[in-house]
Amino acid sequence: TAVSGGGNVLLPGLVDLHVHLREPGREDAETIASGSAAAAAGGFTAVFAMPNTDPVADTALVCDHVWRRGREVGLVDVHPVGAVTVGQKGERLAEMGIMAAGEAQVRVFSDDGFCVSDPLVMRRALEYASGLGALIAQHAEDPRLTCGACAHEGPTAARLGLAGWPRSAEESIIARDAILARDADARVHICHVSTAGSVSVLRWAKEQGIAITAEVTPHHLLLDDSRLEDYDPVFKVNPPLREESDVAVLRRALAEGVIDAVATDHAPHAAHDKDREFALARPGMLGLETALPIVLETMWRPGLLDWRGVARTMSENPAKIAGLADQGRPIEVGEPANLVVVDPDFEWTVRGKELTSIADNTPFEGMRLRGRAVATVLRGRVTARDGRAEL
Ligand code: NCD
Ligand code: ZN
Ligand code: ZN
């Protein structure tokens, strides 16, 4: 799939299983138009938009609106992720079947931002999804183990006084959901895996033949909790940045296939929600326009992934996990192609203000990165050149 020539490399269009585009409801942070432009600029041809919007995407009405708006913008395929429970309140299952039957043909469901934490609700959600041939993407965080206000854990966090989201809250949900998926004959996908323990649980579950997949974000592949020393709210994220040793384990797990995919968890926030005291700032970071160079830096340059591996983890596997037939695979002759041309040597400095996203909460501000999408092509049409969408 990866063909090298003249220094540039051709990959299938990148597929992002996890973005927050904030429309409807928070268009001051991002819109489907601005988020699509950011995605195209970053080399993506398909993204999955999480349902924690306002209103929540828990009906076919909202899902189909997101899908149609994505088509109108036309820069990237925007696949709405439907909510698992009504209003993401975790109590009553949403009508996943009706969302699946709508124009958007929703096949991925999640309460991301929240965990489907009640075990009975999760069991029934998996059974329902299994019947639909759909996937539940779980934000693995047991709220009964998490201290509400903050989002950090570990020696650095403890010294800084940031009580928060312990490893147990993530790892116990992954173990539980693996077993529930096994018995429901369902597929489950784990969002933004962040700890070494989660990797052990995933490895065990896969060895049992359980249909579980997982993603890791670029920021968890690069950053650790030493960034929190200055209480800079830009580094506040769910799940929190972990320790250096976790970062090493996550990289190895992605190289070995225990973690299947890279997903950005692109989480734009308006300045008045993000640039405030650490405890009050919203969690989340921009990701779409920096994902590719971060993966090159953390995985490709150290030799953990070759180009084939980059294509597999950023395009083929996410397309397979979400059941997309027309993404993440080699191009047939004469076919309107989804692809990206990558210049791995192009050097640039990240400036939040210069990114395409409306929000500017990048954790890589001022960082010198190598690598950029020099052209993104969606069904034969150029959607971005040199890091800028073709509007
Ligand atoms: C996400 C958001 O802002 O919607 N925030 C985050 O820190 N990742 C929600 C989520 O992915 O959990
Ligand atoms: Zn989440
Ligand atoms: Zn998210």
Side-chain angles (χ1 to χ4, degrees):
T1 322
V3 181
S4 186
N8 289 348
V9 172
L10 182 60
L11 301 177
L14 307 181
V15 177
D16 194 341
L17 286 169
H18 190 151
V19 304
H20 298 272
L21 298 186
R22 304 300 187 213
E23 184 179 345
R26 286 309 304 266
E27 291 83 355
D28 56 333
E30 195 80 287
T31 63
I32 291 168
S34 67
S36 294
F44 292 89
T45 50
V47 299
F48 285 77
M50 283 296 176
N52 62 338
T53 48
D54 185 10
V56 169
D58 58 4
T59 60
L61 191 76
V62 180
C63 290
D64 288 351
H65 167 78
V66 169
W67 167 254
R68 281 194 209 113
R69 184 67 195 124
R71 281 276 152 165
E72 256 167 47
V73 173
L75 291 170
V76 61
D77 288 348
V78 178
H79 295 280
V81 174
V84 177
T85 65
V86 175
Q88 296 192 307
K89 288 195 178 17
E91 295 150 9
R92 207 150 47 82
L93 291 185
E95 284 297 356
M96 293 190 265
I98 300 178
M99 290 184 262
E103 198 182 332
Q105 297 188 24
V106 181
R107 288 293 180 277
V108 184
F109 296 91
S110 179
D111 273 358
D112 185 62
F114 301 99
C115 178
V116 184
S117 56
D118 185 288
L120 178 57
V121 173
M122 186 58 175
R123 175 166 79 76
R124 289 173 52 232
L126 286 165
E127 287 164 1
Y128 192 171
S130 167
L132 292 170
L135 178 73
I136 304 282
Q138 176 70 294
H139 164 111
E141 174 200 9
D142 189 333
R144 287 157 298 194
L145 290 167
T146 309
C147 139
C150 294
H152 291 86
E153 187 249 7
T156 310
R159 183 166 49 73
L160 295 170
L162 303 170
W165 175 338
R167 294 153 192 286
S168 53
E170 176 172 319
E171 295 161 17
S172 59
I173 291 287
I174 300 176
R176 182 200 74 177
D177 288 355
I179 293 166
L180 289 175
R182 178 193 68 192
D183 291 355
D185 218 355
R187 294 190 300 137
V188 67
H189 177 76
I190 307 300
C191 298
H192 43 49
V193 165
S194 72
T195 77
S198 293
V199 170
S200 304
V201 176
L202 283 167
R203 195 187 300 277
W204 167 82
K206 287 187 167 193
E207 279 166 9
Q208 310 305 302
I210 296 170
I212 191 166
T213 54
E215 67 188 34
V216 63
T217 69
H219 48 270
H220 287 105
L221 288 173
L222 183 67
L223 307 174
D224 62 50
D225 64 358
S226 64
R227 304 276 165 170
L228 301 171
E229 292 288 350
D230 301 326
Y231 299 96
D232 183 343
V234 83
F235 297 112
K236 180 170 176 175
V237 67
N238 285 336
L241 299 177
R242 304 285 183 184
E243 291 166 60
E244 215 181 330
S245 52
D246 294 289
V247 173
V249 171
L250 293 173
R251 290 186 189 185
R252 264 205 311 282
L254 184 65
E256 292 170 6
V258 178
I259 296 175
D260 305 83
V262 174
T264 65
D265 192 11
H266 180 78
H269 287 296
H272 63 271
D273 287 325
K274 193 62 174 163
D275 302 340
R276 46 190 311 191
E277 193 185 326
F278 192 90
L280 300 175
R282 295 265 172 100
M285 308 171 160
L286 296 185
L288 283 167
E289 293 170 83
T290 46
L292 181 62
I294 299 291
V295 170
L296 295 184
E297 198 56 39
T298 55
M299 300 298 297
W300 178 72
R301 278 197 191 87
L304 287 163
L305 288 179
D306 56 12
W307 281 112
R308 197 76 205 52
V310 174
R312 193 170 57 243
T313 55
M314 296 193 81
S315 177
E316 293 171 23
N317 284 351
K320 264 189 216 146
I321 288 166
L324 300 182
D326 62 337
Q327 296 273 357
R329 56 169 176 73
I331 305 145
E332 306 285 341
V333 173
E335 171 189 42
N338 299 314
L339 55 86
V340 57
V341 182
V342 178
D343 178 353
D345 300 318
F346 181 82
E347 279 197 41
W348 59 291
T349 303
V350 184
R351 300 275 174 229
K353 295 260 179 268
E354 291 165 16
L355 294 175
T356 304
S357 276
I358 293 174
D360 56 15
N361 55 306
T362 173
F364 311 116
E365 182 69 35
M367 220 178 260
R368 194 109 184 110
L369 298 183
R370 271 186 294 169
R372 184 163 83 168
V374 292
T376 311
V377 176
L378 176 66
R379 281 182 288 280
R381 193 170 81 78
V382 176
T383 51
R385 273 181 222 276
D386 301 328
R388 287 284 158 215
E390 300 270 291
L391 295 168

